[in-house]
């Protein structure tokens, strides 16, 4: 699938992706969202609710769908393309949202060039031969 995150060999400092295939994680604690699109997300996201609550259904507005996600349920959807929000709730709720940032692919391309075409960021500094 296209939404797979790069592995550690592509990330700066050989960082590992903690929850592959997603490089980005958001934790919403007792948080109700207004209708929105995640315009900086790339392709798919995964919503995973945890806790004990009533309500807080996830609404995908354009599709006219309402999901009563409970602990152990999850939902994949295109958060960049679909307007979504949560309904009111009571209780304690944590929403784990996994995604990939839209600009991750371009960051990976830049990182892959590090060490090959690296500009000389110190070129403006004087060298010993410049000092009289």
């Amino acid at each position: 699938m296209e939404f797979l995150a790069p592995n550690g060999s592509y990330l700066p400092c050989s960082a590992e992706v903690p929850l592959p295939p997603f490089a980005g994680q958001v934790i919403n604690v007792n948080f109700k969202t207004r209708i929105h699109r995640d315009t900086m997300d790339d392709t798919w996201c995964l919503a995973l609710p945890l806790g004990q609550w009533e309500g807080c259904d996830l609404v995908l507005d354009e599709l006219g769908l309402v999901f009563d996600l409970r602990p152990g349920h999850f939902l994949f959807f295109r958060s960049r393309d679909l307007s979504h929000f949560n309904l009111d709730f009571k209780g304690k709720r944590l929403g784990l949202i996994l995604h990939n940032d839209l600009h991750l692919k371009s960051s990976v391309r830049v990182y892959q060039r590090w060490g090959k075409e690296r500009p000389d960021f110190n070129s403006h500094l004087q060298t010993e031969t410049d000092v009289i």
Side-chain angles (χ1 to χ4, degrees), residues 25-44:
Q25 300 88 39
V26 176
I27 299 175
N28 293 327
V29 179
N30 292 330
F31 191 75
K32 177 186 168 193
T33 61
R34 293 181 177 166
I35 191 165
H36 69 285
R37 290 183 184 190
D38 297 308
T39 58
M40 299 306 291
D41 281 2
D42 184 29
T43 63
W44 299 93

Side-chain angles (χ1 to χ4, degrees), residues 5 16-27 48 96-100:
E16 292 296 323
V17 175
L19 296 168
F22 298 99
Q25 300 88 39
V26 176
I27 299 175
L48 176 69
L96 177 60
I97 310 300
L98 306 178
H99 67 95
N100 284 320

Side-chain angles (χ1 to χ4, degrees), residues 80-98:
R80 181 180 71 187
D81 300 328
L82 294 171
S83 301
H84 56 283
F85 62 97
N86 299 92
L87 299 176
D88 290 331
F89 71 97
K90 293 180 183 177
K92 306 261 186 224
R93 185 174 186 278
L94 182 140
L96 177 60
I97 310 300
L98 306 178

Side-chain angles (χ1 to χ4, degrees), residues 59-117:
V59 179
L60 301 181
D61 190 56
E62 290 86 356
L63 301 178
L65 296 174
V66 179
F67 294 92
D68 178 20
L69 299 177
R70 309 308 310 157
H73 295 172
F74 62 89
L75 180 68
F76 279 104
F77 68 102
R78 295 178 67 90
S79 58
R80 181 180 71 187
D81 300 328
L82 294 171
S83 301
H84 56 283
F85 62 97
N86 299 92
L87 299 176
D88 290 331
F89 71 97
K90 293 180 183 177
K92 306 261 186 224
R93 185 174 186 278
L94 182 140
L96 177 60
I97 310 300
L98 306 178
H99 67 95
N100 284 320
D101 188 80
L102 181 62
H103 298 293
L104 181 63
K105 290 175 188 167
S106 62
S107 297
V108 167
R109 283 192 296 274
V110 168
Y111 179 69
Q112 287 172 333
R113 288 194 313 265
W114 286 4
K116 295 178 182 173
E117 302 172 13

